Amino acid sequence: MTEVTEEMIYDLAVAIRSDLDDLLVKMKDLKLEATALRLEIESFPRFRPIDPAH
């Protein structure tokens, strides 16, 4: 059985932190993209319902 060393735990913690930082950046990018899409959708003209009388 392999002995777990303090260095191995530290390396794992650094890797986890790096992954979490990457995820945070991706979440911020997705939030910006979602905001841009919402603004684009909101810029479309509002379509009036079709009047069946015409």
Side-chain angles (χ1 to χ4, degrees):
M1 180 176 245
T2 304
E3 181 180 336
V4 177
T5 65
E6 188 174 324
E7 183 180 354
M8 293 167 76
I9 293 171
Y10 178 80
D11 290 345
L12 181 59
V14 168
I16 291 170
R17 175 61 190 260
S18 177
D19 287 348
L20 289 175
D21 288 344
D22 291 346
L23 286 172
L24 183 61
V25 168
K26 287 178 184 176
M27 287 173 58
K28 288 179 181 179
D29 288 346
L30 287 172
K31 183 177 181 182
L32 289 174
E33 189 174 330
T35 300
L37 287 171
R38 180 181 55 80
L39 292 173
E40 185 175 341
I41 289 169
E42 289 175 355
S43 73
F44 281 103
R46 302 283 186 225
F47 293 102
R48 287 182 251 151
I50 298 172
D51 183 359
H54 291 104

